[in-house]
Amino acid sequence: MATSASTFSSATRILQPLNNNNNNTLYGNQLGMSSCFLGTTKKLYMKTPFLSPNSKRRSKDVLVVSEVVKDKNCNADSSLSNLCHITWPLDNVLITKDEGLELYEDMVLGRAFEDMCAQMYYRGKMYGFVHLYNGQEAVSTGFIKLLKKEDFLVGVYRDHVHALSKGVPARQVMSELFGKSTGCCRGQGGSMHIFSKEHNVLGGFAFIGESIPVATGAAFSIKYRKEVLKEADCDHVTMAFFGDGTSNNGQFFECLNMAALWKLPIIFVVENNLWAIGMSHLRATSDPEIWKKGPAFGMPGVHVDGMDVLKVREVAKEAVARARRGDGPTLVECETYRFRGHSLADPDELRDPAEKNHYAARDPISALKKYMFENNLANEAELKAIDKKIDELVEDAVEFADESPHPVRSQLLENVFADPKGFGIGPDGRYRCEDPKFTEGTADV
Amino acid sequence: MAGIIGRTMATAKLSNLNKFLVGSRVSASRTYSSAAKEMTVRDALNSALDEEMSADPKVFVMGEEVGEYQGAYKITKGLLDKYGPERVLDTPITEAGFTGIGVGAAYYGLKPIIEFMTFNFSMQAIDHIINSAAKSNYMSAGQISVPIVFRGPNGAAAGVGAQHSQCYAAWYGACPGLKVLAPYSSEDARGLLKAAIRDPDPVVFLENELLYGESFPVSAEALDSSFSLPIGKAKAKREGKDVTITAFSKMVGYALKAAEILDKEGISAEVINLRSIRPLDRPAINASVRKTNRLVTVEEGFPQHGVGAEICASVVEESFEYLDAPVERITGADVPMPYAANLERLAVPQIEDIVRAAK
């Protein structure tokens, strides 16, 4: 891809970001080495490179951290330096057995649920726009399992697995997707708009830039409660998930600026799966290394391999700790991949099969499995038991959703306002919402 | 569906044309089904874009997924291969950005066609549509004209939720400086899009996703590359004498079906396809109401301040004595579009609603 500013030179139809032979002028000079994936600049050698992918391109690059020194207000230099020089535990293993099983279970739940969604869609039980998360589970599990129930989570339309990781029951999400009244939004939201007040999941937004200012606002409310309303232990954080396409949107930059300016407790997680529907990230972005946009606004920018749940978790731990301490936002770019198309309506013709195979070989679930076997954290039988348990859970969710009732007709007009007097005063002089026949109206109510 | 359309459009002239077409192959380069030359709305839009781009090198298309993906709804299929990446531009996801860029290009004499994946996304760019494009000719006292077209699907599709289903006809129809068009059939789509591209003013072209796949017969005249329809003229799709039903976009199909049903019950309905929301063809609507004395307006959007409200006000102002009954407005429900299929059906006007109101 030419480095000229012109957007017209898209002679290469499919860009191969992973192809070492490519004359990748964008990176070659900067890096001085062939990169295994986008954006690796510095190398941090792990003491034990634990999750070696099967691919020929072995990666010893674990984390890439930017230099963040522009933030003059940052007084907690130690936190930044922690981020810059992750001190790995001296022992080989990063997780305990219980943690490992928890992570495995969560990822398998995400995968099984999404696969079931695809099945249900093709059987006609789900409709509209459905965006599946297969392949990206490491990001969701790695980050969200570190959150408390009171922490906020804001996603975009690819939100089923975020909601599941946060704790929304699979039954509720499945019924929501079926459009039934027992869904988490009573069938009114749909696949792209999963909200849960109880678990502090703020959706599901269809417009991609939209989630970021909303997340920033949630983080602002946390800070406000802590400092103005003086609520004592209000050290919650907000996580905003969005994709590589969103990182070109103006709202993203506006929020990076304000989050850093006001030191809001937010973590911006970019799930860079390299494709926005059919638009390759490299074709859409002048500088594809998204993590670099963090330091431009005064916050650390971290790049991590998003197919590896343990690496993601380590980065997440530090980012969350930073936010909880009050040191401000972090931008984390997780390089990941979606195994399926953008949505179930996407024929997915533009992505190169070689690229898909490369990432399929780095499936986060198999990688974690391998890690646990190698480090004697679990055996085959235990993991199989988890698989079975999840399968049963997902099937139960489908049955529940199937048997749930469709929303009743009167639900059409509910929840439009918190105060239903917003519908105004009807012809008889009383508020329209008080008229019992109000909800029996039809399209011309 | 084609049968009904065939009947409603059946005039002696058309059946003669059919015979003519069967005999000689008209050189529109696609294959259509059987005897009457039929064309899907998608193909109609594609051919209109193709012809206008080949006629005028200043015309270019910009939007998300218009190039390599062949268009999110395949409207721009084949254009990248034919005209190259300099005239068919895939953009990053920056509605405000690329709409502004299109407006700037239009200031300097180019003719951009900005595609929004749906008009819901135009809300991220509405500042440019209204403030930079619509108002510029006025603010500059005629020095700057903005020959830009904003097009994309509008209104509800099937089960896509609240943020993807709003109808923007009323919002854009309220702005001076904009022209707002809403085609229904393939002929409308072709003619109006060509007119929009040739027009020196900003045009908002509201298509409908569910109509893209529908086929309509097209006359040989419509297939000619210089064909265009006048902006600001509605079309009476069906003559009648008891009640006038006005509609635009997908609702025209529903209105026609409702008219069929009413016909069986002895009520003869006149269906007007508005085609152009701004400028609204008030003379045509009023003339029709003066003939039939009753009016039902149908639209998919929200009821308050909708297109139907404007039509009703216009008719009351100009043809009050001719009205035998109050104007009935059929609109979408006054709620954000729900996801659940049964609720969505309740939120959008259905044929039974139109029939009931007409009675």
Side-chain angles (χ1 to χ4, degrees):
Chain A
M1 180 166 149
T3 49
S4 72
S6 155
T7 57
F8 300 154
S9 58
S10 54
T12 44
R13 246 184 76 95
I14 310 292
L15 289 161
Q16 303 268 12
L18 309 165
N19 186 349
N20 288 336
N21 301 328
N22 211 2
N23 182 18
N24 221 342
T25 54
L26 216 45
Y27 300 109
N29 296 334
Q30 274 173 271
L31 309 180
M33 49 157 245
S34 56
S35 56
C36 300
F37 43 81
L38 240 43
T40 35
T41 56
K42 300 182 193 144
K43 291 198 214 188
L44 265 180
Y45 281 94
M46 261 290 287
K47 291 192 170 103
T48 54
F50 51 90
L51 283 170
S52 44
N54 290 340
S55 71
K56 290 181 282 233
R57 305 175 189 83
R58 271 199 62 239
S59 160
K60 286 194 279 184
D61 304 319
V62 176
L63 287 179
V64 170
V65 176
S66 63
E67 292 137 77
V68 186
V69 282
K70 290 183 197 167
D71 182 5
K72 299 188 279 288
N73 295 330
C74 178
N75 47 17
D77 284 322
S78 58
S79 72
L80 282 178
S81 64
N82 273 348
L83 209 50
C84 294
H85 312 291
I86 297 270
T87 50
W88 297 102
L90 289 174
D91 43 295
N92 286 349
V93 182
L94 286 168
I95 46 171
T96 66
K97 172 172 180 162
D98 286 333
E99 284 172 356
L101 291 177
E102 189 193 357
L103 295 178
Y104 182 78
E105 184 172 334
D106 194 53
M107 290 207 286
V108 170
L109 173 61
R111 181 68 61 88
F113 191 90
E114 297 293 73
D115 284 339
M116 184 60 77
C117 284
Q119 264 193 53
M120 293 295 119
Y121 189 85
Y122 294 128
R123 283 194 213 168
K125 300 216 179 133
M126 239 181 252
Y127 43 88
F129 288 142
V130 180
H131 306 84
L132 298 182
Y133 201 71
N134 298 49
Q136 299 182 198
E137 295 89 0
V139 178
S140 169
T141 302
F143 272 98
I144 300 178
K145 282 301 173 197
L146 293 171
L147 293 180
K148 305 181 298 199
K149 194 166 181 187
E150 300 84 23
D151 292 326
F152 295 124
L153 172 75
V154 184
V156 283
Y157 44 75
R158 207 179 296 279
D159 55 354
H160 308 164
V161 179
H162 293 145
L164 291 173
S165 292
K166 191 72 169 50
V168 181
R171 281 182 159 196
Q172 281 186 17
V173 183
M174 190 62 87
S175 343
E176 180 62 29
L177 298 177
F178 279 35
K180 301 289 176 85
S181 59
T182 46
C184 52
C185 301
R186 301 170 73 205
Q188 290 173 203
S191 159
M192 297 183 284
H193 307 292
I194 309 275
F195 289 86
S196 165
K197 181 164 179 170
E198 188 194 337
H199 298 275
N200 289 310
V201 176
L202 300 178
F205 289 96
F207 281 49
I208 49 156
E210 202 178 338
S211 60
I212 308 174
V214 171
T216 312
F220 179 80
S221 76
I222 295 168
K223 190 168 157 107
Y224 189 87
R225 293 216 303 260
K226 189 165 166 187
E227 293 178 2
V228 177
L229 300 177
K230 304 272 191 262
E231 284 179 26
D233 49 359
C234 191
D235 64 345
H236 312 319
V237 301
T238 305
M239 260 186 202
F241 287 86
F242 48 93
D244 45 290
T246 315
S247 66
N248 289 324
N249 197 282
Q251 294 177 77
F252 172 57
F253 300 114
E254 292 177 18
C255 291
L256 283 183
N257 179 42
M258 289 191 277
L261 187 66
W262 295 329
K263 290 179 84 164
L264 299 180
I266 183 170
I267 300 129
F268 295 103
V269 183
V270 184
E271 294 169 316
N272 182 355
N273 58 20
L274 304 174
W275 290 88
I277 306 188
M279 188 70 166
S280 151
H281 177 57
L282 298 174
R283 274 182 77 215
T285 318
S286 58
D287 184 351
E289 298 179 54
I290 303 174
W291 57 268
K292 278 189 188 169
K293 297 178 184 177
F297 289 93
M299 68 178 84
V302 188
H303 177 284
V304 69
D305 175 4
M307 304 303 274
D308 179 342
V309 66
L310 297 173
K311 290 180 194 167
V312 170
R313 196 176 150 90
E314 288 306 306
V315 169
K317 271 191 199 161
E318 184 53 45
V320 171
R322 222 181 97 81
R324 278 205 215 286
R325 271 196 305 263
D327 290 337
T330 316
L331 174 67
V332 183
E333 177 186 352
C334 302
E335 192 170 324
T336 178
Y337 202 75
R338 50 172 166 83
F339 292 157
R340 289 185 183 258
H342 165 75
S343 72
L344 287 173
D346 176 18
D348 196 16
E349 291 155 348
L350 285 176
R351 300 197 298 173
D352 190 19
E355 184 187 73
K356 292 189 210 179
N357 288 337
H358 170 82
Y359 279 102
R362 296 171 58 203
D363 187 335
I365 295 181
S366 348
L368 180 64
K369 220 172 174 172
K370 190 158 172 240
Y371 178 79
M372 293 216 284
F373 289 159
E374 280 174 5
N375 291 281
N376 293 321
L377 288 173
N379 58 33
E380 187 82 33
E382 285 169 339
L383 297 186
K384 276 223 169 356
I386 292 182
D387 287 341
K388 184 158 181 294
K389 177 177 152 199
I390 294 296
D391 280 336
E392 280 168 14
L393 185 80
V394 172
E395 288 206 18
D396 166 71
V398 172
E399 266 180 47
F400 174 76
D402 253 339
E403 287 161 16
S404 297
H406 285 285
V408 295
R409 195 189 170 109
S410 58
Q411 199 184 313
L412 179 67
L413 292 171
E414 288 175 16
N415 304 129
V416 181
F417 296 105
D419 168 18
K421 297 202 186 88
F423 274 116
I425 299 185
D428 55 358
R430 288 169 35 222
Y431 281 110
R432 293 173 79 184
C433 57
E434 289 168 16
D435 177 0
K437 304 249 309 269
F438 179 53
T439 53
E440 290 173 31
T442 62
D444 55 2
V445 71
Chain B
M1 183 67 197
I4 295 176
I5 298 299
R7 254 189 298 158
T8 55
M9 287 185 65
T11 59
K13 189 174 169 206
L14 189 59
S15 55
N16 282 340
L17 271 175
N18 281 344
K19 292 187 193 116
F20 172 71
L21 286 171
V22 167
S24 65
R25 293 268 145 244
V26 178
S27 62
S29 52
R30 285 183 192 83
T31 50
Y32 306 113
S33 56
S34 63
K37 212 63 170 179
E38 293 221 332
M39 202 179 200
T40 57
V41 173
R42 181 178 281 124
D43 287 336
L45 293 167
N46 189 293
S47 65
L49 287 170
D50 197 357
E51 286 163 20
E52 290 302 309
M53 284 181 81
S54 73
D56 186 348
K58 298 206 288 285
V59 178
F60 67 94
V61 177
M62 187 152 78
E64 290 160 16
E65 309 298 350
V66 294
E68 288 192 4
Y69 199 77
Q70 310 297 324
Y73 295 98
K74 304 292 180 261
I75 307 292
T76 52
K77 187 169 181 172
L79 294 181
L80 176 67
D81 288 331
K82 212 167 162 187
Y83 298 105
E86 281 143 26
R87 292 182 68 193
V88 180
L89 294 143
D90 277 327
T91 61
I93 310 177
T94 44
E95 268 77 12
F98 68 72
T99 307
I101 290 176
V103 173
Y107 281 3
Y108 283 94
L110 296 182
K111 295 188 167 192
I113 301 171
I114 304 289
E115 170 168 322
F116 292 114
M117 205 180 277
T118 78
F119 259 95
N120 299 275
F121 302 158
S122 74
M123 289 199 288
Q124 292 205 336
I126 203 167
D127 174 45
H128 283 296
I129 299 176
I130 313 265
N131 280 328
S132 314
K135 297 183 184 171
S136 290
N137 200 35
Y138 188 81
M139 292 195 291
S140 69
Q143 295 173 73
I144 299 179
S145 100
V146 191
I148 192 170
V149 176
F150 301 103
R151 51 160 292 269
N154 176 51
V160 293
Q163 291 186 342
H164 280 86
S165 308
Q166 191 169 333
C167 175
Y168 289 86
W171 283 25
Y172 288 123
C175 295
L178 277 184
K179 294 180 181 168
V180 182
L181 303 174
Y184 165 63
S185 65
S186 310
E187 196 162 322
D188 286 350
R190 244 181 88 80
L192 291 177
L193 185 57
K194 277 166 167 293
I197 296 172
R198 295 175 198 171
D199 196 276
D201 286 316
V203 180
V204 171
F205 194 81
L206 304 171
E207 303 158 3
N208 188 297
E209 188 197 337
L210 297 175
L211 284 179
Y212 282 152
E214 281 200 29
S215 277
F216 297 90
V218 276
S219 59
E221 189 200 349
L223 292 169
D224 183 59
S225 67
S226 62
F227 174 67
S228 83
L229 289 173
I231 294 182
K233 292 215 112 10
K235 178 165 177 173
K237 296 280 283 180
R238 185 187 210 276
E239 303 280 329
K241 53 183 181 36
D242 290 326
V243 62
T244 301
I245 305 179
T246 63
F248 61 94
S249 189
K250 192 171 74 171
M251 292 292 127
V252 176
Y254 284 33
L256 289 169
K257 288 199 189 127
E260 296 293 317
I261 298 175
L262 288 168
D263 208 25
K264 294 194 185 82
E265 303 186 22
I267 301 176
S268 147
E270 176 151 313
V271 176
I272 296 190
N273 172 7
L274 290 173
R275 281 184 174 170
S276 148
I277 309 291
R278 187 176 179 99
L280 203 51
D281 194 350
R282 292 171 217 271
I285 300 170
N286 277 289
S288 172
V289 171
R290 287 175 192 210
K291 192 171 70 168
T292 64
N293 305 67
R294 288 182 154 85
L295 178 61
V296 174
T297 68
V298 188
E299 60 177 314
E300 222 186 342
F302 300 136
Q304 191 167 341
H305 310 300
V307 175
E310 174 61 30
I311 295 176
C312 175
S314 167
V315 164
V316 162
E317 282 166 13
E318 294 175 26
S319 315
F320 185 62
E321 313 80 44
Y322 292 86
L323 280 174
D324 285 345
V327 176
E328 287 271 345
R329 281 186 294 168
I330 311 281
T331 68
D334 201 8
V335 298
M337 184 68 65
Y339 167 72
N342 62 331
L343 291 183
E344 190 180 15
R345 250 193 317 278
L346 287 176
V348 175
Q350 303 296 331
I351 301 175
E352 310 82 59
D353 296 320
I354 306 176
V355 172
R356 195 182 27 209
K359 289 195 212 166

